[in-house]
Amino acid sequence: LPVWAVSSSFNLAELPALSADWLNFLAIKMSYGYQGNMLDGQTPVLLLKNNPRDSYYNKFTSSVASYPNPELNWEKTGSFNTGLELAVLDNRIQISGDFYYKRTKDAFMNKPISNVNGLTSYTVNSGEVINRGYNISLNLVPVKTRDFKWSLSTTISKTKNKLNTRPDAEQHELSDFLNGSALVKGQPVSTFYSYRFIGLSPVDGGPLFDDYSEQVDLLKNLNKYETFTTVLKPTGKRDPSMSGSVYNNFIWKRFRANLTLAYSLGAKLRQSRILAQRPADDENRFIYSEFNANRALLNRWKAPGDEKNTIIPTPNCYWTHYSSSGEKIPTIANNSLDMYNYSDIRVVSGNYLKCSNVSVAYVLPEKWLKTVRISRFEATLSATNLFTVCSKKLKGQTPTQSVFSQVQLSD
């Protein structure tokens, strides 16, 4: 497909009616583009490659280089952008803002297939994705004197996306819904699903869930997509809705200081797992002295009545889920431990404000350096990741540790 784009920009400050000493620059801009995209390795016909002579059969052989995918069409994207740039007061205030709207048709998606075809999945056109958002850049000089100057710059980005078409019923597995890689109609991209936690059992302290165990008939004849979107609960997006940084620069005589803050808003994440991923051994132990255990287990259920004051189940609460065989309905869960670790009660806010960097520098006077023939000497002291302000529920887990695949030990 052809790729084309058209754009325009106009500096309004050049108009006589808007001419002013305080206005340095005022421009509007707009653009629209349309392009097609095709994945590497996709072909409408079978491609073979020649191999060296086989030493056993003493004949030349060939193998499949690319499997045919004749029904795959180009992914088509139209993009609209508009923005404004402003500079006033001798460029002490500079603002740049952009809004974008991007619509993708025939989006590429992977569809699982039986491995008797020689592949476990292939690419199909099965979606329309809408992306829209804005970016704002701000540069300020709040204070400027003969000896002191404070300059500040920040960027703000907000993105909103949504899938407008329903994926194939068997396209995504249970793990895709739990880790946020499943695409669901009407939901933002990266939305992840969780089990509905309703409390702890007063009998044995095990976790209880709204998993349709008493309404199994409602799940019969449903495909995977319908089953998972019915039983599981959307609990947020892995990706933030808004993120950005704030840069501060201070200059006083020969001293220079920098402070960088980063923030992220709108994302959700799972807390680290606290339960073992295996049943008890012959001695009925679930906590082992040779393995580190989560401190949350100190507040676990121990006796009837504790369920009123804690949401941490007893470790020996392993039971197999009624749907684990996958015979009558798609497998909703394998066991109670997985369900608790991937339940909505373990989802917390991923919002944070982080001090990324702080540095202080001093520039030695030139007259001190002339004798040693050095033109400039600057001593700098810096520190990174000094603090992070985030949800107290994380309890030491950094907000960038999403725990969708495995637990990370450092930021």
Side-chain angles (χ1 to χ4, degrees):
L1 287 179
V3 178
W4 58 269
V6 59
S7 63
S8 63
S9 178
F10 182 66
N11 185 5
L12 299 176
E14 296 179 352
L15 296 175
L18 295 178
S19 178
D21 294 337
W22 56 270
L23 181 61
N24 304 112
F25 189 77
L26 175 61
I28 57 174
K29 53 187 179 179
M30 188 178 300
S31 67
Y32 179 80
Y34 187 82
Q35 68 178 40
N37 178 44
M38 178 55 68
L39 298 175
D40 293 336
Q42 298 296 326
T43 172
V45 296
L46 177 67
L47 297 182
L48 300 176
K49 64 178 179 180
N50 293 326
N51 295 327
R53 181 187 295 270
D54 187 276
S55 59
Y56 182 81
Y57 293 101
N58 195 30
K59 293 183 179 181
F60 289 102
T61 61
S62 61
S63 59
V64 176
S66 295
Y67 286 86
N69 196 350
E71 302 298 326
L72 187 66
N73 297 317
W74 286 73
E75 183 182 71
K76 298 172 283 291
T77 301
S79 302
F80 171 77
N81 293 268
T82 184
L84 176 72
E85 295 184 7
L86 172 68
V88 298
L89 302 178
D90 195 21
N91 293 316
R92 291 185 60 174
I93 300 178
Q94 300 178 37
I95 303 174
S96 176
D98 296 277
F99 170 81
Y100 63 89
Y101 179 89
K102 181 183 294 185
R103 182 182 181 184
T104 301
K105 294 183 178 180
D106 294 329
F108 296 136
M109 298 181 182
N110 286 326
K111 180 177 181 178
I113 58 176
S114 173
N115 56 12
V116 299
N117 297 285
L119 297 170
T120 57
S121 66
Y122 74 107
T123 305
V124 298
N125 301 108
S126 182
E128 179 183 90
V129 181
I130 303 295
N131 288 276
R132 62 180 181 269
Y134 60 80
N135 299 296
I136 298 176
S137 298
L138 178 64
N139 294 279
L140 301 175
V141 183
V143 181
K144 185 177 182 181
T145 65
R146 187 181 67 176
D147 295 328
F148 180 77
K149 179 181 179 181
W150 170 29
S151 58
L152 180 149
S153 63
T154 182
T155 58
I156 301 173
S157 299
K158 181 177 176 63
T159 301
K160 185 176 182 180
N161 48 43
K162 184 174 68 173
L163 181 70
N164 279 349
T165 53
R166 177 170 171 169
D168 184 87
E170 302 299 321
Q171 179 174 336
H172 296 297
E173 301 296 331
L174 173 63
S175 59
D176 298 326
F177 284 86
L178 296 177
N179 64 30
S181 61
L183 300 176
V184 180
K185 182 180 180 180
Q187 294 290 349
V189 178
S190 82
T191 296
F192 64 95
Y193 284 68
S194 303
Y195 298 102
R196 305 172 192 265
F197 178 81
I198 59 176
L200 300 180
S201 169
V203 178
D204 58 8
L208 302 175
F209 306 95
D210 181 7
D211 58 357
Y212 281 69
S213 58
E214 298 179 357
Q215 300 172 294
V216 180
D217 291 340
L218 298 178
L219 302 179
K220 292 182 178 179
N221 301 321
L222 296 184
N223 55 47
K224 291 182 179 179
Y225 181 93
E226 294 169 336
T227 300
F228 299 147
T229 53
T230 299
V231 177
L232 301 177
K233 171 185 176 182
T235 45
K237 301 183 304 171
R238 296 179 55 172
D239 300 327
S241 300
M242 182 181 298
S243 60
S245 300
V246 180
Y247 306 92
N248 291 272
N249 180 264
F250 305 92
I251 300 176
W252 180 67
K253 295 184 177 181
R254 294 188 173 275
F255 287 95
R256 189 187 307 271
N258 292 280
L259 171 64
T260 302
L261 302 173
Y263 65 89
S264 176
L265 302 172
K268 298 282 185 164
L269 52 88
R270 298 193 192 278
Q271 293 175 284
S272 300
R273 303 171 184 175
I274 64 172
L275 296 180
Q277 299 300 300
R278 56 188 174 188
D281 59 16
D282 294 338
E283 298 181 12
N284 200 33
R285 296 179 302 174
F286 286 82
I287 300 178
Y288 300 82
S289 59
E290 63 268 29
F291 295 108
N292 291 331
N294 195 303
R295 289 181 58 87
L297 289 173
L298 295 174
N299 191 38
R300 67 187 184 276
W301 186 96
K302 300 175 184 177
D306 289 347
E307 67 278 358
K308 299 178 182 179
N309 303 312
T310 182
I311 58 172
I312 308 300
T314 179
N316 55 344
C317 61
Y318 184 94
W319 44 265
T320 301
H321 195 260
Y322 73 88
S323 68
S324 59
S325 64
E327 295 178 356
K328 297 181 179 180
I329 62 173
T331 299
I332 300 171
N334 291 312
N335 58 72
S336 57
L337 302 185
D338 287 340
M339 293 183 71
Y340 181 78
N341 288 324
Y342 287 93
S343 66
D344 54 358
I345 198 66
R346 303 292 297 168
V347 176
V348 299
S349 169
N351 297 342
Y352 68 84
L353 174 65
K354 181 178 181 180
C355 180
S356 302
N357 181 268
V358 175
S359 65
V360 178
Y362 179 75
V363 181
L364 294 180
E366 290 79 359
K367 62 181 181 180
W368 295 5
L369 305 175
K370 288 183 179 180
T371 57
V372 292
R373 296 183 179 181
I374 298 177
S375 60
R376 180 182 175 87
F377 186 90
E378 180 176 323
T380 303
L381 177 65
S382 64
T384 59
N385 298 333
L386 287 182
F387 64 85
T388 300
V389 180
C390 59
S391 173
K392 293 182 179 179
K393 295 181 179 180
L394 289 173
K395 300 184 182 300
Q397 176 186 334
T398 67
T400 54
Q401 294 179 355
S402 59
V403 199
F404 286 96
S405 55
Q406 60 183 359
V407 177
Q408 304 173 23
L409 299 180
S410 61
D411 194 3

